Amino acid sequence: RVEETLGSIEKHYSQDNITMRDGWMKSVNEGIQENKKQWEETNRLIVSLLIESKREAIINFASKASDEKSMLTREEFKRIFKTYDEYEDLIEKNGLTNGEVEISIRIIREAYEERLRYGTFLEDMRGYNL
């Protein structure tokens, strides 16, 4: 009779545990799905902000570079070229298209080549590269 009672208690206890475990697992999975959606939205916003920030930097630098009187260093050009490469990587990795900075990067490249050809970078003008 004791074995029968213990078996009944064990059976009942096991069923309760299974039900509790299943409910807990369901709530964990739902939480994971909700967190995944929030993470994806946060990631999308971060990527969007990064792209916009890099785009703004490129466009703004193109304005400076197009002004022949603007004193710019080689390092500034190197940084903006790196920014452009990062921008292109972000665009590609996220399946987007780049159409907004093509003219700007062309202006920057032409200004770089011209300053390189005539030695009109700030460091050249001040004699730092002698």
Side-chain angles (χ1 to χ4, degrees):
R1 193 168 176 110
V2 170
E3 285 181 20
E4 197 175 301
T5 302
L6 286 175
S8 174
I9 291 171
E10 186 177 294
K11 182 179 177 187
H12 179 74
Y13 180 73
S14 295
Q15 285 299 322
D16 284 349
N17 277 344
I18 290 170
T19 302
M20 288 172 51
R21 183 202 65 207
D22 288 350
W24 176 78
M25 288 177 67
K26 182 179 178 188
S27 69
V28 167
N29 286 333
E30 288 170 353
I32 289 171
Q33 291 303 315
E34 183 61 33
N35 286 339
K36 183 180 175 186
K37 288 177 187 173
Q38 289 174 352
W39 182 85
E40 287 171 350
E41 178 62 18
T42 300
N43 189 52
R44 187 189 66 73
L45 289 172
I46 289 170
V47 167
S48 176
L49 287 171
L50 278 172
I51 288 171
E52 189 58 35
S53 173
K54 291 179 185 309
R55 183 179 292 141
E56 281 293 316
I58 294 164
I59 292 169
N60 288 338
F61 191 80
S63 294
K64 287 169 79 174
S66 66
D67 180 3
E68 294 174 6
K69 294 177 184 171
S70 180
M71 300 303 282
L72 298 169
T73 64
R74 280 183 181 85
E75 182 61 29
E76 289 176 288
F77 278 94
K78 288 178 184 177
R79 285 184 179 194
I80 206 67
F81 291 141
K82 181 179 178 190
T83 299
Y84 178 75
D85 290 342
E86 291 168 353
Y87 172 80
E88 283 293 313
D89 283 347
L90 279 169
I91 294 290
E92 184 179 328
K93 286 178 184 174
N94 290 281
L96 304 169
T97 57
N98 174 14
E100 295 194 36
V101 298
E102 289 303 315
I103 292 173
S104 295
I105 198 64
R106 197 165 96 202
I107 290 168
I108 293 167
R109 286 180 177 142
E110 288 172 2
Y112 179 79
E113 289 172 11
E114 184 173 316
R115 288 168 193 256
L116 192 61
R117 186 177 314 119
Y118 296 111
T120 56
F121 291 104
L122 177 60
E123 58 269 31
D124 297 329
M125 303 294 285
R126 296 223 172 146
Y128 297 144
N129 289 332
L130 296 177

PDB file of all heavy atoms in Angstrom, residues 92-120:
ATOM      1  N   GLU A  92      26.355  47.322 -48.594  1.00  0.00           N
ATOM      2  CA  GLU A  92      26.367  45.985 -49.196  1.00  0.00           C
ATOM      3  C   GLU A  92      25.840  44.926 -48.232  1.00  0.00           C
ATOM      4  O   GLU A  92      25.003  44.104 -48.597  1.00  0.00           O
ATOM      5  CB  GLU A  92      27.785  45.640 -49.640  1.00  0.00           C
ATOM      6  CG  GLU A  92      27.878  44.298 -50.360  1.00  0.00           C
ATOM      7  CD  GLU A  92      29.287  43.986 -50.804  1.00  0.00           C
ATOM      8  OE1 GLU A  92      30.038  44.921 -51.134  1.00  0.00           O
ATOM      9  OE2 GLU A  92      29.630  42.797 -50.802  1.00  0.00           O
ATOM     10  N   LYS A  93      26.326  44.944 -46.994  1.00  0.00           N
ATOM     11  CA  LYS A  93      25.924  43.938 -45.997  1.00  0.00           C
ATOM     12  C   LYS A  93      24.441  43.993 -45.688  1.00  0.00           C
ATOM     13  O   LYS A  93      23.863  43.001 -45.269  1.00  0.00           O
ATOM     14  CB  LYS A  93      26.718  44.122 -44.709  1.00  0.00           C
ATOM     15  CG  LYS A  93      28.143  43.656 -44.802  1.00  0.00           C
ATOM     16  CD  LYS A  93      28.884  43.901 -43.512  1.00  0.00           C
ATOM     17  CE  LYS A  93      30.343  43.509 -43.640  1.00  0.00           C
ATOM     18  NZ  LYS A  93      31.112  43.856 -42.449  1.00  0.00           N
ATOM     19  N   ASN A  94      23.837  45.145 -45.865  1.00  0.00           N
ATOM     20  CA  ASN A  94      22.428  45.304 -45.528  1.00  0.00           C
ATOM     21  C   ASN A  94      21.516  45.320 -46.746  1.00  0.00           C
ATOM     22  O   ASN A  94      20.341  45.650 -46.638  1.00  0.00           O
ATOM     23  CB  ASN A  94      22.241  46.570 -44.683  1.00  0.00           C
ATOM     24  CG  ASN A  94      22.832  46.390 -43.308  1.00  0.00           C
ATOM     25  OD1 ASN A  94      22.214  45.759 -42.456  1.00  0.00           O
ATOM     26  ND2 ASN A  94      24.036  46.879 -43.089  1.00  0.00           N
ATOM     27  N   GLY A  95      22.086  44.960 -47.899  1.00  0.00           N
ATOM     28  CA  GLY A  95      21.287  44.834 -49.112  1.00  0.00           C
ATOM     29  C   GLY A  95      20.682  46.143 -49.586  1.00  0.00           C
ATOM     30  O   GLY A  95      19.615  46.143 -50.186  1.00  0.00           O
ATOM     31  N   LEU A  96      21.377  47.243 -49.324  1.00  0.00           N
ATOM     32  CA  LEU A  96      20.890  48.552 -49.748  1.00  0.00           C
ATOM     33  C   LEU A  96      21.645  49.001 -50.990  1.00  0.00           C
ATOM     34  O   LEU A  96      22.612  48.371 -51.392  1.00  0.00           O
ATOM     35  CB  LEU A  96      21.074  49.562 -48.611  1.00  0.00           C
ATOM     36  CG  LEU A  96      20.407  49.175 -47.291  1.00  0.00           C
ATOM     37  CD1 LEU A  96      20.858  50.089 -46.174  1.00  0.00           C
ATOM     38  CD2 LEU A  96      18.892  49.196 -47.428  1.00  0.00           C
ATOM     39  N   THR A  97      21.207  50.085 -51.568  1.00  0.00           N
ATOM     40  CA  THR A  97      21.909  50.616 -52.738  1.00  0.00           C
ATOM     41  C   THR A  97      22.475  51.989 -52.416  1.00  0.00           C
ATOM     42  O   THR A  97      21.893  52.749 -51.642  1.00  0.00           O
ATOM     43  CB  THR A  97      20.972  50.738 -53.960  1.00  0.00           C
ATOM     44  OG1 THR A  97      19.863  51.558 -53.599  1.00  0.00           O
ATOM     45  CG2 THR A  97      20.495  49.382 -54.418  1.00  0.00           C
ATOM     46  N   ASN A  98      23.602  52.287 -53.022  1.00  0.00           N
ATOM     47  CA  ASN A  98      24.258  53.570 -52.813  1.00  0.00           C
ATOM     48  C   ASN A  98      24.002  54.429 -54.024  1.00  0.00           C
ATOM     49  O   ASN A  98      24.423  54.103 -55.116  1.00  0.00           O
ATOM     50  CB  ASN A  98      25.761  53.373 -52.613  1.00  0.00           C
ATOM     51  CG  ASN A  98      26.505  54.679 -52.544  1.00  0.00           C
ATOM     52  OD1 ASN A  98      25.912  55.728 -52.397  1.00  0.00           O
ATOM     53  ND2 ASN A  98      27.803  54.615 -52.651  1.00  0.00           N
ATOM     54  N   GLY A  99      23.343  55.525 -53.819  1.00  0.00           N
ATOM     55  CA  GLY A  99      23.134  56.442 -54.913  1.00  0.00           C
ATOM     56  C   GLY A  99      23.305  57.875 -54.474  1.00  0.00           C
ATOM     57  O   GLY A  99      23.244  58.785 -55.279  1.00  0.00           O
ATOM     58  N   GLU A 100      23.543  58.073 -53.192  1.00  0.00           N
ATOM     59  CA  GLU A 100      23.550  59.426 -52.659  1.00  0.00           C
ATOM     60  C   GLU A 100      24.920  60.058 -52.541  1.00  0.00           C
ATOM     61  O   GLU A 100      25.011  61.270 -52.446  1.00  0.00           O
ATOM     62  CB  GLU A 100      22.864  59.432 -51.294  1.00  0.00           C
ATOM     63  CG  GLU A 100      21.395  59.079 -51.401  1.00  0.00           C
ATOM     64  CD  GLU A 100      20.641  59.401 -50.142  1.00  0.00           C
ATOM     65  OE1 GLU A 100      20.957  60.410 -49.499  1.00  0.00           O
ATOM     66  OE2 GLU A 100      19.740  58.636 -49.809  1.00  0.00           O
ATOM     67  N   VAL A 101      25.966  59.283 -52.528  1.00  0.00           N
ATOM     68  CA  VAL A 101      27.285  59.891 -52.316  1.00  0.00           C
ATOM     69  C   VAL A 101      28.232  59.661 -53.489  1.00  0.00           C
ATOM     70  O   VAL A 101      29.410  59.999 -53.397  1.00  0.00           O
ATOM     71  CB  VAL A 101      27.939  59.395 -51.000  1.00  0.00           C
ATOM     72  CG1 VAL A 101      27.104  59.777 -49.807  1.00  0.00           C
ATOM     73  CG2 VAL A 101      28.210  57.920 -51.031  1.00  0.00           C
ATOM     74  N   GLU A 102      27.748  59.145 -54.570  1.00  0.00           N
ATOM     75  CA  GLU A 102      28.610  58.869 -55.714  1.00  0.00           C
ATOM     76  C   GLU A 102      29.280  60.135 -56.253  1.00  0.00           C
ATOM     77  O   GLU A 102      30.475  60.150 -56.526  1.00  0.00           O
ATOM     78  CB  GLU A 102      27.829  58.170 -56.832  1.00  0.00           C
ATOM     79  CG  GLU A 102      27.463  56.734 -56.509  1.00  0.00           C
ATOM     80  CD  GLU A 102      28.672  55.881 -56.174  1.00  0.00           C
ATOM     81  OE1 GLU A 102      29.689  55.945 -56.881  1.00  0.00           O
ATOM     82  OE2 GLU A 102      28.594  55.147 -55.180  1.00  0.00           O
ATOM     83  N   ILE A 103      28.517  61.188 -56.395  1.00  0.00           N
ATOM     84  CA  ILE A 103      29.090  62.435 -56.900  1.00  0.00           C
ATOM     85  C   ILE A 103      30.051  63.012 -55.867  1.00  0.00           C
ATOM     86  O   ILE A 103      31.130  63.495 -56.212  1.00  0.00           O
ATOM     87  CB  ILE A 103      27.980  63.447 -57.259  1.00  0.00           C
ATOM     88  CG1 ILE A 103      27.206  62.920 -58.475  1.00  0.00           C
ATOM     89  CG2 ILE A 103      28.551  64.827 -57.532  1.00  0.00           C
ATOM     90  CD1 ILE A 103      25.980  63.718 -58.834  1.00  0.00           C
ATOM     91  N   SER A 104      29.673  62.929 -54.598  1.00  0.00           N
ATOM     92  CA  SER A 104      30.532  63.459 -53.530  1.00  0.00           C
ATOM     93  C   SER A 104      31.881  62.763 -53.504  1.00  0.00           C
ATOM     94  O   SER A 104      32.924  63.424 -53.401  1.00  0.00           O
ATOM     95  CB  SER A 104      29.845  63.316 -52.174  1.00  0.00           C
ATOM     96  OG  SER A 104      28.695  64.118 -52.111  1.00  0.00           O
ATOM     97  N   ILE A 105      31.896  61.443 -53.599  1.00  0.00           N
ATOM     98  CA  ILE A 105      33.177  60.731 -53.539  1.00  0.00           C
ATOM     99  C   ILE A 105      33.997  61.027 -54.792  1.00  0.00           C
ATOM    100  O   ILE A 105      35.231  61.081 -54.742  1.00  0.00           O
ATOM    101  CB  ILE A 105      32.998  59.213 -53.285  1.00  0.00           C
ATOM    102  CG1 ILE A 105      34.309  58.581 -52.799  1.00  0.00           C
ATOM    103  CG2 ILE A 105      32.474  58.489 -54.498  1.00  0.00           C
ATOM    104  CD1 ILE A 105      34.805  59.082 -51.486  1.00  0.00           C
ATOM    105  N   ARG A 106      33.330  61.240 -55.904  1.00  0.00           N
ATOM    106  CA  ARG A 106      34.055  61.610 -57.128  1.00  0.00           C
ATOM    107  C   ARG A 106      34.723  62.980 -56.961  1.00  0.00           C
ATOM    108  O   ARG A 106      35.884  63.171 -57.338  1.00  0.00           O
ATOM    109  CB  ARG A 106      33.099  61.615 -58.315  1.00  0.00           C
ATOM    110  CG  ARG A 106      33.831  61.575 -59.642  1.00  0.00           C
ATOM    111  CD  ARG A 106      32.909  61.225 -60.764  1.00  0.00           C
ATOM    112  NE  ARG A 106      32.484  62.476 -61.380  1.00  0.00           N
ATOM    113  CZ  ARG A 106      31.387  62.612 -62.096  1.00  0.00           C
ATOM    114  NH1 ARG A 106      30.590  61.594 -62.298  1.00  0.00           N
ATOM    115  NH2 ARG A 106      31.069  63.764 -62.621  1.00  0.00           N
ATOM    116  N   ILE A 107      34.007  63.920 -56.376  1.00  0.00           N
ATOM    117  CA  ILE A 107      34.566  65.249 -56.100  1.00  0.00           C
ATOM    118  C   ILE A 107      35.765  65.123 -55.175  1.00  0.00           C
ATOM    119  O   ILE A 107      36.811  65.753 -55.394  1.00  0.00           O
ATOM    120  CB  ILE A 107      33.484  66.175 -55.480  1.00  0.00           C
ATOM    121  CG1 ILE A 107      32.431  66.537 -56.533  1.00  0.00           C
ATOM    122  CG2 ILE A 107      34.116  67.424 -54.867  1.00  0.00           C
ATOM    123  CD1 ILE A 107      31.188  67.191 -55.971  1.00  0.00           C
ATOM    124  N   ILE A 108      35.629  64.301 -54.156  1.00  0.00           N
ATOM    125  CA  ILE A 108      36.721  64.108 -53.187  1.00  0.00           C
ATOM    126  C   ILE A 108      37.939  63.494 -53.863  1.00  0.00           C
ATOM    127  O   ILE A 108      39.076  63.955 -53.660  1.00  0.00           O
ATOM    128  CB  ILE A 108      36.247  63.248 -52.000  1.00  0.00           C
ATOM    129  CG1 ILE A 108      35.185  64.011 -51.190  1.00  0.00           C
ATOM    130  CG2 ILE A 108      37.423  62.835 -51.127  1.00  0.00           C
ATOM    131  CD1 ILE A 108      34.429  63.159 -50.187  1.00  0.00           C
ATOM    132  N   ARG A 109      37.733  62.483 -54.673  1.00  0.00           N
ATOM    133  CA  ARG A 109      38.861  61.837 -55.365  1.00  0.00           C
ATOM    134  C   ARG A 109      39.572  62.799 -56.313  1.00  0.00           C
ATOM    135  O   ARG A 109      40.806  62.827 -56.378  1.00  0.00           O
ATOM    136  CB  ARG A 109      38.374  60.593 -56.111  1.00  0.00           C
ATOM    137  CG  ARG A 109      38.061  59.450 -55.188  1.00  0.00           C
ATOM    138  CD  ARG A 109      37.590  58.232 -55.942  1.00  0.00           C
ATOM    139  NE  ARG A 109      37.364  57.133 -55.013  1.00  0.00           N
ATOM    140  CZ  ARG A 109      36.382  56.261 -55.115  1.00  0.00           C
ATOM    141  NH1 ARG A 109      35.537  56.320 -56.138  1.00  0.00           N
ATOM    142  NH2 ARG A 109      36.247  55.298 -54.226  1.00  0.00           N
ATOM    143  N   GLU A 110      38.787  63.583 -57.045  1.00  0.00           N
ATOM    144  CA  GLU A 110      39.384  64.561 -57.956  1.00  0.00           C
ATOM    145  C   GLU A 110      40.174  65.615 -57.180  1.00  0.00           C
ATOM    146  O   GLU A 110      41.276  65.996 -57.593  1.00  0.00           O
ATOM    147  CB  GLU A 110      38.305  65.216 -58.811  1.00  0.00           C
ATOM    148  CG  GLU A 110      37.727  64.288 -59.859  1.00  0.00           C
ATOM    149  CD  GLU A 110      36.516  64.865 -60.578  1.00  0.00           C
ATOM    150  OE1 GLU A 110      36.116  66.033 -60.290  1.00  0.00           O
ATOM    151  OE2 GLU A 110      35.939  64.148 -61.425  1.00  0.00           O
ATOM    152  N   ALA A 111      39.636  66.068 -56.066  1.00  0.00           N
ATOM    153  CA  ALA A 111      40.336  67.069 -55.247  1.00  0.00           C
ATOM    154  C   ALA A 111      41.620  66.480 -54.671  1.00  0.00           C
ATOM    155  O   ALA A 111      42.658  67.151 -54.626  1.00  0.00           O
ATOM    156  CB  ALA A 111      39.427  67.548 -54.114  1.00  0.00           C
ATOM    157  N   TYR A 112      41.565  65.225 -54.278  1.00  0.00           N
ATOM    158  CA  TYR A 112      42.757  64.562 -53.733  1.00  0.00           C
ATOM    159  C   TYR A 112      43.851  64.469 -54.798  1.00  0.00           C
ATOM    160  O   TYR A 112      45.006  64.808 -54.545  1.00  0.00           O
ATOM    161  CB  TYR A 112      42.390  63.169 -53.228  1.00  0.00           C
ATOM    162  CG  TYR A 112      43.566  62.397 -52.674  1.00  0.00           C
ATOM    163  CD1 TYR A 112      44.041  62.655 -51.397  1.00  0.00           C
ATOM    164  CD2 TYR A 112      44.195  61.419 -53.434  1.00  0.00           C
ATOM    165  CE1 TYR A 112      45.118  61.946 -50.875  1.00  0.00           C
ATOM    166  CE2 TYR A 112      45.276  60.709 -52.936  1.00  0.00           C
ATOM    167  CZ  TYR A 112      45.731  60.980 -51.651  1.00  0.00           C
ATOM    168  OH  TYR A 112      46.804  60.287 -51.158  1.00  0.00           O
ATOM    169  N   GLU A 113      43.458  64.011 -55.994  1.00  0.00           N
ATOM    170  CA  GLU A 113      44.429  63.885 -57.083  1.00  0.00           C
ATOM    171  C   GLU A 113      45.027  65.244 -57.454  1.00  0.00           C
ATOM    172  O   GLU A 113      46.229  65.349 -57.702  1.00  0.00           O
ATOM    173  CB  GLU A 113      43.761  63.241 -58.302  1.00  0.00           C
ATOM    174  CG  GLU A 113      43.456  61.774 -58.098  1.00  0.00           C
ATOM    175  CD  GLU A 113      42.617  61.174 -59.215  1.00  0.00           C
ATOM    176  OE1 GLU A 113      42.422  61.828 -60.266  1.00  0.00           O
ATOM    177  OE2 GLU A 113      42.138  60.037 -59.020  1.00  0.00           O
ATOM    178  N   GLU A 114      44.205  66.266 -57.466  1.00  0.00           N
ATOM    179  CA  GLU A 114      44.702  67.596 -57.806  1.00  0.00           C
ATOM    180  C   GLU A 114      45.674  68.107 -56.729  1.00  0.00           C
ATOM    181  O   GLU A 114      46.738  68.639 -57.044  1.00  0.00           O
ATOM    182  CB  GLU A 114      43.538  68.573 -57.955  1.00  0.00           C
ATOM    183  CG  GLU A 114      43.983  69.941 -58.406  1.00  0.00           C
ATOM    184  CD  GLU A 114      42.803  70.861 -58.705  1.00  0.00           C
ATOM    185  OE1 GLU A 114      41.847  70.392 -59.344  1.00  0.00           O
ATOM    186  OE2 GLU A 114      42.861  72.017 -58.268  1.00  0.00           O
ATOM    187  N   ARG A 115      45.325  67.927 -55.479  1.00  0.00           N
ATOM    188  CA  ARG A 115      46.210  68.373 -54.400  1.00  0.00           C
ATOM    189  C   ARG A 115      47.499  67.556 -54.380  1.00  0.00           C
ATOM    190  O   ARG A 115      48.564  68.084 -54.068  1.00  0.00           O
ATOM    191  CB  ARG A 115      45.488  68.292 -53.057  1.00  0.00           C
ATOM    192  CG  ARG A 115      44.422  69.351 -52.914  1.00  0.00           C
ATOM    193  CD  ARG A 115      43.516  69.081 -51.717  1.00  0.00           C
ATOM    194  NE  ARG A 115      42.337  69.911 -51.771  1.00  0.00           N
ATOM    195  CZ  ARG A 115      42.141  70.994 -51.027  1.00  0.00           C
ATOM    196  NH1 ARG A 115      43.061  71.382 -50.175  1.00  0.00           N
ATOM    197  NH2 ARG A 115      41.030  71.689 -51.132  1.00  0.00           N
ATOM    198  N   LEU A 116      47.391  66.300 -54.731  1.00  0.00           N
ATOM    199  CA  LEU A 116      48.574  65.446 -54.808  1.00  0.00           C
ATOM    200  C   LEU A 116      49.481  65.907 -55.954  1.00  0.00           C
ATOM    201  O   LEU A 116      50.700  66.030 -55.788  1.00  0.00           O
ATOM    202  CB  LEU A 116      48.141  63.988 -55.019  1.00  0.00           C
ATOM    203  CG  LEU A 116      49.161  62.900 -54.857  1.00  0.00           C
ATOM    204  CD1 LEU A 116      49.728  62.899 -53.436  1.00  0.00           C
ATOM    205  CD2 LEU A 116      48.533  61.538 -55.156  1.00  0.00           C
ATOM    206  N   ARG A 117      48.872  66.195 -57.090  1.00  0.00           N
ATOM    207  CA  ARG A 117      49.610  66.631 -58.277  1.00  0.00           C
ATOM    208  C   ARG A 117      50.332  67.961 -58.038  1.00  0.00           C
ATOM    209  O   ARG A 117      51.491  68.136 -58.410  1.00  0.00           O
ATOM    210  CB  ARG A 117      48.639  66.762 -59.460  1.00  0.00           C
ATOM    211  CG  ARG A 117      49.298  67.075 -60.789  1.00  0.00           C
ATOM    212  CD  ARG A 117      48.289  67.135 -61.959  1.00  0.00           C
ATOM    213  NE  ARG A 117      47.362  66.025 -61.956  1.00  0.00           N
ATOM    214  CZ  ARG A 117      46.015  66.155 -61.845  1.00  0.00           C
ATOM    215  NH1 ARG A 117      45.461  67.337 -61.727  1.00  0.00           N
ATOM    216  NH2 ARG A 117      45.240  65.092 -61.859  1.00  0.00           N
ATOM    217  N   TYR A 118      49.654  68.899 -57.382  1.00  0.00           N
ATOM    218  CA  TYR A 118      50.219  70.236 -57.215  1.00  0.00           C
ATOM    219  C   TYR A 118      50.823  70.491 -55.824  1.00  0.00           C
ATOM    220  O   TYR A 118      51.314  71.593 -55.562  1.00  0.00           O
ATOM    221  CB  TYR A 118      49.160  71.305 -57.520  1.00  0.00           C
ATOM    222  CG  TYR A 118      48.704  71.258 -58.951  1.00  0.00           C
ATOM    223  CD1 TYR A 118      47.416  70.848 -59.273  1.00  0.00           C
ATOM    224  CD2 TYR A 118      49.575  71.602 -59.978  1.00  0.00           C
ATOM    225  CE1 TYR A 118      46.999  70.791 -60.595  1.00  0.00           C
ATOM    226  CE2 TYR A 118      49.169  71.545 -61.306  1.00  0.00           C
ATOM    227  CZ  TYR A 118      47.880  71.138 -61.608  1.00  0.00           C
ATOM    228  OH  TYR A 118      47.468  71.072 -62.911  1.00  0.00           O
ATOM    229  N   GLY A 119      50.784  69.459 -54.976  1.00  0.00           N
ATOM    230  CA  GLY A 119      51.362  69.608 -53.641  1.00  0.00           C
ATOM    231  C   GLY A 119      50.688  70.678 -52.812  1.00  0.00           C
ATOM    232  O   GLY A 119      51.358  71.482 -52.156  1.00  0.00           O
ATOM    233  N   THR A 120      49.361  70.677 -52.832  1.00  0.00           N
ATOM    234  CA  THR A 120      48.632  71.728 -52.120  1.00  0.00           C
ATOM    235  C   THR A 120      47.904  71.225 -50.872  1.00  0.00           C
ATOM    236  O   THR A 120      46.942  71.841 -50.421  1.00  0.00           O
ATOM    237  CB  THR A 120      47.636  72.421 -53.066  1.00  0.00           C
ATOM    238  OG1 THR A 120      46.765  71.442 -53.633  1.00  0.00           O
ATOM    239  CG2 THR A 120      48.360  73.201 -54.155  1.00  0.00           C
TER     240      THR A 120
END
